[in-house]
Each structure stands twice: as structure tokens, then as C-alpha cells.
Amino acid sequence: MTMEGKIFSLLDVAKNIPARVVDIKGGRSLELRLMNLGVKKGVILKKKAVCLNGPVIIEIKRSILALGRGMSSKIEVELE
Amino acid sequence: MRVVLVGNPNVGKSAVFFRLTGAKVLTSNYPGTTVEFAKGVLIKNSERVDIIDAPGAYSIEPTNKAEEVTVRLLKEAAIVVNVIDATNLERNLYLTLQLIKQQCKLLVVLNMWDETKHKGIDIDIDKLQNLLGVPVVHSCGLSGEGIKDIALKLNQAKVSSLNLEGRDLWEIIGEITSSVQTLHHKHHSFRDVMEEITIHPFTGIPFSVVVLGLCFLVVRFIGESLIHFALDPFFENIYKPFLWRLNELIHWEFLRNILIGGLINENIEFMQSLGVLSTGIYVPIAVVFPYVLSFYFVLGLLEDFGYLPRLSVLMDNVMHKLGLHGVSVIPFILSLGCNVPGVLASRVLESRRERFILATLTAISIPCMAQISMIVGVLGKYGLRYILMVFGTLFLVWFSLGVILNKFIRGESPEILMEIPPYRKINLYVLFRKLWIRISGFIKEAVPLVLLGVFMTNLLFSLGVLKVLGIIVAPVVTFIWGLPEKAILALLVGFLRKDVAVGMLGPLGLSPKQLVVGCTILAIYFPCMGTFSVLLKELGLKDMCKSLAIMLIVAILVGGLLNLIIK
């Protein structure tokens, strides 16, 4: 079974595997807030942990970010 | 000449600023330590250079109030010093490129240079300089290394000729970093292990319970030890005999009452006599100061190591129920020291709704350390359970009022989006300098107000102002709260200093139940003067009035309920 090309939301994607952002399905302001921190279409990130029903922790470039769940569900990624 | 320090949050701008100017600013390891700008002066070749430390910003398009401040400051800058976290060029250069695009006269500082070695990062500064087209220097704000270079090269700051029109900034950053930066493999360190433990919920939650429990124990241990082994012996054995001597020397009764206060069973009681020199000195120095000192010491450790952002993530869920997100944990914790910096820190939140909820909850249900230590001081002799009643009630008010506000205030609160900084080694010099700034601030601001508070209390007592007021508010105070009319005095003084107000309940001869009611409503009913002024500044007149109305209503309800429930 190949996972390549399949699209997940950041909420559902497996942990500790590099994934590429393919789309951000939020409004312009969310896109801007994420962009400031380097989260945008085309970048590679890695989901590190999910805090129970709380934020998703990702590693991107060399920073670690915590993102709310709603936000994470709007970020679509595909496995590298 | 006006120089503004600009950079992403938590890159060490304030540390660089302190090294350049010697100004008293606080530094920590979490994004959003500086929410207001600070001004300092650097004298260079007998020329005066104004240096401004701006709040951290990820970009020049602001997403919160703190970033708005920065964007405004940028417009007035002659030279912009862009401070960068050298261990994270990839993210930091985004702002740099935006500044270049804005045609700012720029000097770039690669801060935290010492950390690059630990992390196995090599940066070719000359190459970076050429690519960016502006001068680049390296520094370490904590140790002061490289600061001289910043001062020397200020004059070389220039507008870059790099043309960025129509290009994707992140793409350019990729090109730059891959050509100037070499990464080496590095071994796992203790801090990496800690990072793993605290980021995963199954280990992180138990860990946070242990950390917070330890903090509580350490604050208590340091505070109590100072009181029992140093301050109480001093006041009993040295200061009290001195006061007795003074008492004998003063023959004018009015003055004696003001200075020494009333004798209780033929004795000077530091907690009850209410003299300016007895209670007025004892309360801030021997009751409040030890806990303020120990609290800020422990807070400094948590801040500098970088634990607070992890706590934010773990508490995010709970905060959502209150219409806030995890980042608000930091202002709440700061408020336990003093509400003023806590309310100011609300600026890191994105929406007005969140800031209103945070400020209101803080002013109502987070007692400051001075107040906490007095509550413990006044109720301690009756047993732990009464102390718990006060803090338990405040906790319940905090949570339920948060839920209610979240429900009834229109709008939605945005979600958490926060950078979690790496853990950093604690630098003792920096830690103790910060402690000193906070403690000297407490002594300079609080002690005179406490003295004034005690003085006024005495004066009001002697002038009989109370009787008039008593008639007006008696129904609430006596009927609903079950307190004697004299307790009004405490409510009045509470506007000046809450710790003195709590202390004033002592001499009224209240029952433990009345003390619990009194301590709780004193926390809730109205902010102290300092908090009042930041509430006005941060919320504006209209929202502050709403917030005050909520406080009064909650105080009447909660005081009344406690009066009914407690036996």
C-alpha cells in the first residue's frame, strides 16, 4: 500500500514522518499568521505530538510550533 | 539618532538592549516577554543615541497589539537593528527580508551566537553579509559578547540594494540559508531529552504536576525560612524594643497612635496595631517581601529555562473553556506575582474579546503574591482549611466566570499558534539581575503605598469618616456579607493596597468565617490602584466599566453565598 500522493489534514497525518503542505483551507488571515511562521504551501513539516484533545505540535525548519486543532484541520499535507 | 531593535519574539532583543544601554528590562525564554517598548541611551563618541527595544514580531503585518507597537516604532526609526536568533536563520530571515523590502537602514545582529556551536551550526557571516547587502555582526546578549561590535557598526547600517519585488520571500530564504549555513550532526543532550518528555502528553502532564508542586513547595520553603529564621527574630528582638523606646519618648497621643498604633493586651502586635512604624513596616518587609522574593525567584527559573510555553500547550484545552487559548497561561502566572504585568501581557492575545476576558478574570480572581501572603498570614492561625476556602472559592470563580463570559460575550476566540522555544541553560547573572529588578520595583512602589495605606486608615479611624460611609454601604457589608461595619475601611484601603486591606481585617476581631468572606471579597470587589490604571489603559473606559461592574456583582454574590454556606 502506498501512502504517496494521499492527502491528509495535519490532524490525521501520522507522527514523525515528513509531510509537505499542499493547501491551507483557511481565510486570508489564517494564511498570513501561518505564513509569518513559515507554514505555507510547499514546505515540509513533521508532526511531533498531539496534546490529548489539544494543540498539534509540529516541527518546521528548526522551530517547534503549537497549533490549535481547528487550524490543524485546515492544513492539508501529503507524505513525502 | 533613533535606533530601534526589531526581531522575532524570543530572540534576545531585550538582552542585547540591556547590554547596549544598561537599562532595566526583563528577559525570559518565551515569546512575548516584551509587550511594551523600552527606551535607553547609548553614548557613542560623546554622541547620544536613543535605543528602543520593541516587542517581538514575526512580520511587519501585525497580528496582535504587541506587534502593532513594533510596526509603529519602525516608522520612526533612523536605523533598524534586526536581532536574529542565529540558531534559527530559516524563520528569522523572513522579517529581515521584509525590512529590506521596506528600505530600512539596516544592521543585522546574529544573536545567541554561542548556541550555534552547541547545536552544530556554522554560519558564514561574510557571505550572509554579501547576500543581504547589509552589515551583519554576531553577539551573545546574555554574556555581552559582541555587543561592542553592534555599537561600532551602527554607523555602517545601510539600505540594501537587494531587489525583492515580486519574489517569494521564503524561496529566497531557502537559497540564502543553504549557501551560508552548514549543519553538523550533534549528540543528544539533556535538554533534548527534556524536550521530548515535556512535549508528549503522557509524560508531559505528570511532569507538569511535579514541576508545579515543586514550585509551590520551594516558594513556601524559601518564604517561610526567611520569615522564621531571619525576619521574625529581627522584628521581635531588635525592632520591637526600639519601638517601645520610641513609644516612651512620644508624649503626644495622636502621633503615638499614628506611628506605633494601638496596644493590644499591653503589647505592640505587628499584625494588629496598625501604626505606620509597626504594622506599616512589618507587613511589607516581614510578611509580603519573603514570598514576593521566593515567588519571583522560582518564576525566573521557569521563565529562563523555557518551561512556560510547554505549560501553555498542556493547558490549552482548559483555557478554551474560558474563551482563551493556552498562551494566556503566561499572563495568569505573571499575575500571581502582580496583576499589573499580567494584564499588560494580555497584549500577546490576538482578539479584543480574549483580552477582555483575560483582564477581567485576572482582576477578579487572581490575587497577587502580596495579597496571598497576607491571606496566609491572617488566616494561618485558624488552620489550613480556611486558607483553602479562600483560594478554592477564587479558583471556582475564575473557572465558572470564564465559562460564563465565554458564553455571553459575542464573537469567537482564535486558536493557539505559538512557537515553543528550546530549553536554555539558566544564566545565574541574568536570573539574579531580573530578580533584583522585580524586587527593587516592589520595594520602591509597594512600601510607600503600604505606609500611606496604614496612615490613611489611622486617620480615617480618628476622623470618624467611617460612620458616614457605614450608613451608605451597611446593607451590603453587614446584611449580605455578615461583616461588621468597620470592614468598610478595608474595602476603601483595598484600592490603595490589597495586602494592607487584608491586614486590616486582623484587628477587627472577626471570626474565621468572617475572615474568609472578607479575604475573598477583597480579592474580587475592585482592582487596586495599579491594576485599575492598566485596566483603563488596556481595555479603554467603556470595557473597563463593564469589567468593574462584573467585579462588584460577583463580589456581592460570592460574598453572600459564602456567608450563607460556611458555618
Side-chain angles (χ1 to χ4, degrees):
Chain A
M1 190 178 80
T2 172
M3 302 287 257
E4 255 169 65
K6 199 171 169 210
I7 290 174
F8 300 89
S9 87
L10 191 53
L11 220 45
D12 306 319
V13 75
K15 276 185 243 175
N16 295 318
I17 302 173
R20 184 185 293 275
V21 177
V22 290
D23 201 4
I24 294 171
K25 296 222 172 301
R28 176 80 191 116
S29 85
L30 175 67
E31 216 171 294
L32 193 71
R33 279 179 76 200
L34 288 169
M35 162 94 108
N36 289 343
L37 288 157
V39 182
K40 57 172 239 107
K41 257 187 239 181
V43 297
I44 293 172
L45 49 78
K46 208 197 276 179
K47 180 157 112 180
K48 296 268 290 180
V50 181
C51 189
L52 299 181
N53 270 318
V56 176
I57 315 278
I58 63 165
E59 192 183 286
I60 178 162
K61 295 177 178 147
R62 240 154 327 113
S63 15
I64 299 203
L65 304 178
L67 284 80
R69 290 181 79 80
M71 222 180 261
S72 308
S73 69
K74 288 176 189 143
I75 300 175
E76 295 193 330
V77 296
E78 64 179 358
L79 294 182
E80 264 288 285
Chain B
M1 188 162 69
R2 197 166 201 194
V3 176
V4 179
L5 298 184
V6 179
N8 284 180
N10 209 32
V11 297
K13 290 176 295 300
S14 296
V16 169
F17 174 71
F18 158 66
R19 289 289 176 178
L20 278 171
T21 64
K24 283 186 184 175
V25 284
L26 298 182
T27 56
S28 304
N29 180 18
Y30 63 79
T33 306
T34 311
V35 289
E36 226 179 359
F37 66 90
K39 250 187 211 171
V41 177
L42 166 77
I43 303 291
K44 197 185 158 195
N45 309 330
S46 70
E47 187 199 352
R48 188 192 148 99
V49 183
D50 285 322
I51 305 222
I52 290 168
D53 181 23
Y58 287 110
S59 90
I60 52 170
E61 287 160 274
T63 54
N64 65 33
K65 252 186 140 178
E67 290 185 348
E68 281 168 22
V69 175
T70 307
V71 173
R72 210 176 56 226
L73 288 168
L74 264 178
K75 291 187 182 128
E76 302 158 5
I79 292 175
V80 175
V81 173
N82 177 211
V83 183
I84 283 182
D85 172 358
T87 65
N88 202 333
L89 273 190
E90 286 91 341
R91 202 206 54 236
N92 281 251
L93 284 177
Y94 187 62
L95 179 66
T96 312
L97 293 186
Q98 286 189 319
L99 293 170
I100 286 176
K101 215 171 164 181
Q102 291 281 308
Q103 306 274 300
C104 292
K105 210 170 165 192
L106 205 59
L107 169 70
V108 170
V109 176
L110 297 177
N111 197 35
M112 306 199 193
W113 189 248
D114 54 329
E115 279 284 308
T116 55
K117 287 173 204 118
H118 297 296
K119 296 208 160 179
I121 303 168
D122 268 341
I123 299 170
D124 185 337
I125 292 193
D126 289 334
K127 216 170 179 182
L128 183 61
Q129 203 160 251
N130 288 336
L131 287 173
L132 292 177
V134 295
V136 178
V137 294
H138 65 84
S139 74
C140 172
L142 289 189
S143 71
E145 181 205 326
I147 298 296
K148 261 193 194 146
D149 273 357
I150 302 177
L152 285 174
K153 294 220 170 146
L154 269 181
N155 290 345
Q156 298 172 23
K158 62 176 183 187
V159 178
S160 169
S161 52
L162 198 59
N163 185 13
L164 300 169
E165 272 322 309
R167 295 193 58 191
D168 178 40
L169 299 185
W170 288 108
E171 219 163 83
I172 303 173
I173 292 168
E175 288 162 18
I176 295 177
T177 48
S178 58
S179 84
V180 303
Q181 188 172 256
T182 336
L183 305 177
H184 303 284
H185 177 75
K186 55 142 199 162
H187 293 286
H188 264 272
S189 67
F190 165 70
R191 280 180 271 164
D192 294 324
V193 178
M194 283 288 293
E195 230 145 80
E196 286 299 315
I197 291 178
T198 46
I199 224 166
H200 294 284
F202 290 108
T203 42
I205 292 172
F207 187 83
S208 72
V209 174
V210 173
V211 168
L212 293 181
L214 262 175
C215 288
F216 173 74
L217 290 179
V218 172
V219 169
R220 226 185 114 175
F221 175 76
I222 298 178
E224 279 178 5
S225 305
L226 277 172
I227 293 175
H228 290 309
F229 297 114
L231 293 162
D232 265 356
F234 169 80
F235 271 87
E236 279 301 320
N237 302 327
I238 298 173
Y239 193 64
K240 200 182 252 181
F242 161 76
L243 281 187
W244 274 118
R245 187 86 195 93
L246 199 67
N247 195 40
E248 282 162 27
L249 288 174
I250 303 172
H251 294 291
W252 186 23
E253 204 192 326
F254 178 75
L255 186 65
R256 206 166 54 210
N257 267 335
I258 294 273
L259 291 182
I260 316 281
L263 297 187
I264 316 267
N265 302 329
E266 304 291 306
N267 203 354
I268 298 174
E269 287 289 344
F270 283 123
M271 284 292 269
Q272 301 192 10
S273 287
L274 283 186
V276 171
L277 292 181
S278 56
T279 311
I281 296 287
Y282 183 80
V283 162
I285 305 294
V287 185
V288 173
F289 169 75
Y291 286 107
V292 171
L293 180 83
S294 57
F295 174 80
Y296 277 132
F297 173 70
V298 172
L299 178 66
L301 287 176
L302 289 179
E303 284 178 335
D304 290 5
F305 187 52
Y307 188 64
L308 296 182
R310 329 259 153 178
L311 209 54
S312 294
V313 172
L314 291 175
M315 297 282 286
D316 186 59
N317 259 336
V318 180
M319 294 296 146
H320 266 285
K321 304 209 164 41
L322 315 183
L324 299 167
H325 60 62
V327 174
S328 351
V329 168
I330 295 174
F332 279 135
I333 291 179
L334 292 178
S335 298
L336 282 173
C338 169
N339 280 189
V340 173
V343 173
L344 276 176
S346 69
R347 287 188 182 178
V348 296
L349 298 176
E350 296 82 2
S351 74
R352 205 182 137 123
R353 175 182 198 262
E354 288 172 291
R355 289 196 291 272
F356 178 80
I357 295 179
L358 185 103
T360 307
L361 288 184
T362 298
I364 288 189
S365 52
I366 313 269
C368 66
M369 214 52 212
Q371 205 178 346
I372 294 173
S373 37
M374 283 305 288
I375 293 174
V376 173
V378 165
L379 277 171
K381 58 183 169 201
Y382 301 105
L384 187 64
R385 105 193 161 93
Y386 292 105
I387 297 177
L388 288 181
M389 277 183 205
V390 175
F391 295 121
T393 308
L394 290 177
F395 178 78
L396 283 178
V397 168
W398 174 75
F399 189 79
S400 41
L401 183 65
V403 172
I404 293 171
L405 290 178
N406 184 30
K407 198 155 189 162
F408 287 101
I409 298 179
R410 258 178 303 166
E412 255 179 76
S413 292
E415 284 188 299
I416 192 170
L417 175 57
M418 182 194 210
E419 191 193 348
I420 302 181
Y423 286 122
R424 294 194 209 288
K425 240 186 291 177
I426 288 169
N427 177 319
L428 285 181
Y429 168 73
V430 173
L431 181 77
F432 282 106
R433 193 183 71 88
K434 174 155 75 172
L435 187 60
W436 172 245
I437 293 176
R438 283 170 161 163
I439 289 298
S440 56
F442 164 77
I443 291 175
K444 262 184 263 164
E445 283 158 31
V447 175
L449 275 179
V450 171
L451 292 178
L452 182 66
V454 173
F455 174 74
M456 269 188 41
T457 312
N458 254 320
L459 210 62
L460 291 173
F461 252 131
S462 336
L463 296 177
V465 179
L466 284 178
K467 287 200 183 97
V468 186
L469 267 166
I471 299 165
I472 306 170
V473 278
V476 173
V477 174
T478 55
F479 182 68
I480 299 184
W481 290 338
L483 296 175
E485 272 178 30
K486 278 188 199 155
I488 296 162
L489 194 62
L491 292 175
L492 275 183
V493 173
F495 182 62
L496 215 55
R497 285 287 302 178
K498 293 262 180 122
D499 45 3
V500 182
V502 172
M504 285 179 44
L505 297 174
L508 297 181
L510 304 182
S511 67
K513 167 188 164 171
Q514 288 175 311
L515 280 175
V516 170
V517 177
C519 287
T520 313
I521 52 174
L522 271 177
I524 298 174
Y525 80 111
F526 208 77
C528 71
M529 214 160 58
T531 313
F532 181 86
S533 59
V534 287
L535 282 178
L536 179 62
K537 189 165 137 203
E538 296 304 304
L539 297 182
L541 184 64
K542 200 175 135 205
D543 275 0
M544 184 194 66
C545 289
K546 278 188 208 160
S547 187
L548 292 180
I550 296 174
M551 287 174 209
L552 289 172
I553 295 169
V554 173
I556 293 174
L557 286 178
V558 171
L561 269 176
L562 281 178
N563 186 28
L564 284 176
I565 296 170
I566 305 175
K567 294 210 181 77

